[in-house]
């Protein structure tokens, strides 16, 4: 993110990059900042922890795109890189009863009890991926060969998506969340993603299975209406993108953090902290999502002394809030897996807050915890194969991670129950 002098808005860099230095500079100026989105669209970002917590549950803040003033005034061009976030039909762009209806159709698959029932399958997939890593030698891209296929495999199995579609869905998801993509490429990626998901849905309609896609097609709300085609495809877009991109970044960022803080890794191995503690501290310290689009005040809203005009597209600054010293203390920039548990009011917000709290949070936590524990048990000497500052970053200010994670696996410990 590039900063500007005076009261000019801060221009969000479409190419992404590490957000933390700029976040710190912005937080020093206040909890809410005017920003310039791609295409010169005026927006705001809520960066401070307390301000963001208030904003995420404010009754006069909406998600429905009909409140996006610049869009309805014709100032947002076709192919705008963030347009899918605003216009996709699903629970992330719905309010009130409509949001509750859409969320209820999916929520039963993601209750803590249902997710715990997936533990053995997550462990099985994790072990299979680790076996594959062990068969190679030299430098391995851990993001591509471990952090990605685990959550993608789990969400696709839940949705009943066959393996032949998975690489394509990840590629298209990556383009949908990119902020440096050109208009023609953005339009093409959205058309292709919708087409692939429509093909998958048509197959499930013709041959239903024991999966979430088939259940969504068959589900009826209390009024007896099925999901419309747009709502069905929008829900699948959300589940595919959010169901693997967030966990992919979380696992990647946690491995980077532990490799850069070997003392913290040693604490976990000695029992001084748990793998769940690692996941929580990673969510706070290096949130998998940096700036999430969009919410819109339905009237002029004053937040921490700054007025956000009605209809302004507002970004939730999760990576900034995670390191806000007013909430997390003067050592907020330090990665510390023994950080004491905080009161509910100051827990990290990286998976959201309020009515739109991430449905997949229990699953993301389970996948990341299992992945990290088993990865470092099998490869206790794992280390980065390139300096942290040389790792290529996400081409987006939405996602917060690196595109590659080259590692040396070093010594391998066979899984329990196998010959050494």
């Amino acid at each position: 993110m590039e900063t500007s002098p005076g009261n000019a808005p801060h221009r969000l860099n479409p190419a992404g990059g590490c957000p933390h230095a700029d976040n710190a500079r912005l937080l020093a100026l206040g909890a809410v900042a005017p920003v310039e989105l791609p295409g010169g669209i005026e927006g705001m970002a809520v960066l401070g922890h307390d301000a963001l917590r208030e904003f995420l549950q404010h009754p006069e803040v909406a998600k429905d795109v009909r409140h996006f003033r610049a869009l309805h005034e014709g100032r947002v061009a076709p192919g705008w890189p963030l347009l899918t976030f605003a216009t996709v039909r699903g629970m992330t762009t719905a309010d009130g009863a409509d949001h509750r209806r859409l969320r209820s159709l999916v929520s039963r698959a993601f209750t803590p009890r249902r997710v715990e029932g997936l533990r053995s399958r997550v462990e099985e997939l994790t072990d299979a991926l680790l076996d594959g890593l062990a068969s190679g030698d030299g430098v391995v891209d851990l993001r591509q060969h471990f952090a990605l296929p685990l959550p993608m495999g789990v969400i696709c199995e839940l949705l009943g998506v066959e393996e032949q579609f998975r690489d394509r869905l990840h590629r298209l998801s990556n383009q949908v969340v990119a902020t440096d993509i050109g208009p023609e490429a953005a339009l093409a990626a959205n058309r292709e993603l919708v087409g692939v998901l429509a093909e998958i849905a048509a197959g499930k309609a013709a041959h239903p299975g024991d999966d979430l896609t088939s259940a969504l097609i068959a589900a009826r709300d209390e009024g007896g209406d099925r999901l419309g085609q747009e709502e069905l495809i929008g829900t699948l877009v959300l589940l595919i993108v959010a169901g693997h991109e967030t966990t992919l970044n979380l696992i990647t960022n946690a491995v980077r953090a532990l490799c850069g803080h070997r003392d913290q890794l040693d604490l976990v191995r000695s029992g001084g902290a748990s793998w769940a503690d690692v996941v929580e501290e990673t969510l706070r310290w290096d949130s998998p999502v940096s700036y999430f689009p969009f919410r819109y005040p339905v009237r002029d809203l004053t937040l921490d002394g700054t007025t956000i005009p009605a209809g302004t597209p507002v970004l939730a600054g999760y990576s900034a809030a995670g390191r806000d010293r007013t909430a997390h203390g003067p050592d907020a920039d330090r990665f510390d897996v023994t950080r004491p548990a905080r009161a509910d009011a100051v827990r990290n917000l990286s998976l959201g807050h309020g009515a739109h709290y991430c449905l997949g949070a229990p699953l993301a936590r389970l996948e990341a915890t299992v992945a990290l524990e088993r990865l470092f048990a099998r490869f206790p000497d794992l280390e980065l194969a390139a300096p942290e500052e040389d790792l290529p970053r996400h081409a987006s200010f939405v996602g917060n991670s690196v595109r590659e994670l080259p590692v040396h696996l070093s010594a391998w410990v066979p899984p329990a129950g196998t010959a050494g």
Side-chain angles (χ1 to χ4, degrees), residues 153-211:
V154 172
I155 194 62
C156 283
E157 286 188 9
L158 276 173
L159 292 170
V161 174
E162 296 176 2
E163 195 162 343
Q164 68 197 61
F165 292 105
R166 295 179 188 179
D167 287 346
R168 195 172 168 198
L169 287 172
H170 172 64
R171 174 178 60 81
L172 293 169
S173 295
N174 227 242
Q175 291 176 296
V176 164
V177 302
T179 50
D180 69 342
I181 191 170
E184 290 183 8
L187 288 168
N190 276 277
R191 280 195 299 267
E192 187 177 353
L193 181 58
V194 168
V196 172
L197 292 174
E199 179 183 347
I200 292 168
K204 291 297 176 184
H207 304 287
D210 183 19
D211 55 72

Side-chain angles (χ1 to χ4, degrees), residues 28-387:
L29 299 174
V32 182
V35 295
E36 180 185 321
L37 300 169
I41 301 300
E42 307 93 342
M44 300 287 277
V46 182
L47 311 158
H49 179 279
D50 292 348
L52 182 57
R53 189 174 189 272
E54 178 184 349
F55 183 75
L56 293 176
Q57 61 183 350
H58 200 287
E60 293 186 294
V61 170
K63 295 278 279 181
D64 194 309
V65 71
R66 67 190 177 89
H67 298 286
F68 189 171
R69 179 173 292 172
L71 180 65
H72 296 294
E73 290 176 352
R75 294 189 281 122
V76 176
W80 192 53
L82 295 166
L83 199 56
T84 297
F85 288 100
T87 60
V88 65
R89 290 287 302 276
M91 69 185 86
T92 60
T93 54
D95 297 310
D98 201 29
H99 170 251
R100 289 190 292 273
R101 173 179 65 89
L102 292 167
R103 191 176 173 99
S104 69
L105 293 173
V106 179
S107 61
R108 286 185 291 273
F110 294 96
T111 63
R113 182 178 177 182
R114 287 284 184 91
V115 167
E116 186 57 33
L118 295 171
R119 178 179 291 275
S120 61
R121 182 56 182 149
V122 171
E123 292 172 344
E124 183 181 342
L125 284 171
T126 300
D127 287 341
L129 291 167
L130 292 173
D131 289 343
L133 293 178
S135 66
D137 53 19
V139 175
V140 173
D141 183 352
L142 199 69
R143 182 177 174 89
Q144 179 66 30
H145 298 290
F146 181 67
L148 165 60
L150 175 59
M152 179 58 97
V154 172
I155 194 62
C156 283
E157 286 188 9
L158 276 173
L159 292 170
V161 174
E162 296 176 2
E163 195 162 343
Q164 68 197 61
F165 292 105
R166 295 179 188 179
D167 287 346
R168 195 172 168 198
L169 287 172
H170 172 64
R171 174 178 60 81
L172 293 169
S173 295
N174 227 242
Q175 291 176 296
V176 164
V177 302
T179 50
D180 69 342
I181 191 170
E184 290 183 8
L187 288 168
N190 276 277
R191 280 195 299 267
E192 187 177 353
L193 181 58
V194 168
V196 172
L197 292 174
E199 179 183 347
I200 292 168
K204 291 297 176 184
H207 304 287
D210 183 19
D211 55 72
L212 185 52
T213 303
S214 299
L216 288 171
I217 292 169
R220 295 178 181 274
D221 65 18
E222 292 179 0
D225 295 324
R226 281 194 172 95
L227 279 175
Q229 180 70 2
E230 251 194 302
E231 288 180 328
L232 173 63
I233 298 302
T235 299
L236 293 177
V237 168
L238 166 66
L239 291 171
I240 288 289
V241 176
H244 86 280
E245 288 280 354
T246 301
T247 310
L248 164 59
N249 289 350
L250 172 56
I251 295 171
T252 301
N253 292 356
V255 171
R256 290 167 50 225
L258 290 169
C259 286
H261 301 81
R262 307 299 294 198
D263 60 321
Q264 300 297 296
L265 179 57
D266 291 342
L267 275 171
V268 178
R269 286 175 167 156
S270 67
S274 69
W275 292 105
D277 293 329
V278 173
V279 170
E280 292 310 305
E281 181 66 349
T282 303
L283 284 168
R284 181 200 68 82
W285 186 75
D286 206 13
S287 170
V289 174
S290 195
Y291 288 95
F292 192 78
F294 285 119
R295 285 173 168 81
Y296 320 93
V298 300
R299 62 169 178 81
D300 290 358
L301 179 67
T302 299
L303 195 65
D304 196 52
T306 298
T307 298
I308 306 176
T312 300
V314 182
L315 300 169
Y318 294 124
S319 63
R323 296 199 186 188
D324 182 358
R325 295 183 179 189
T326 63
H328 299 289
D331 66 343
D333 288 337
R334 183 163 62 93
F335 181 74
D336 179 8
V337 297
T338 66
R339 189 173 295 276
R342 305 275 181 162
D344 285 342
V346 290
R347 289 189 188 278
N348 81 71
L349 299 170
S350 62
L351 294 173
H353 183 66
H356 286 272
Y357 180 74
C358 177
L359 259 181
L363 182 57
R365 286 184 164 102
L366 170 66
E367 290 171 347
T369 303
V370 169
L372 294 169
E373 180 175 13
R374 295 193 171 216
L375 172 67
F376 283 99
R378 295 279 287 274
F379 302 105
D381 300 322
L382 183 149
E383 60 183 17
L384 296 183

Side-chain angles (χ1 to χ4, degrees), residues 17-18 256-257 259-260 285-286 384-394 401-406:
C18 183
R256 290 167 50 225
C259 286
W285 186 75
D286 206 13
L384 296 183
E388 168 71 28
E389 60 270 18
D390 291 346
L391 299 178
R393 300 288 308 192
H394 248 314
S401 194
V402 294
R403 296 199 306 270
E404 300 168 9
L405 188 62

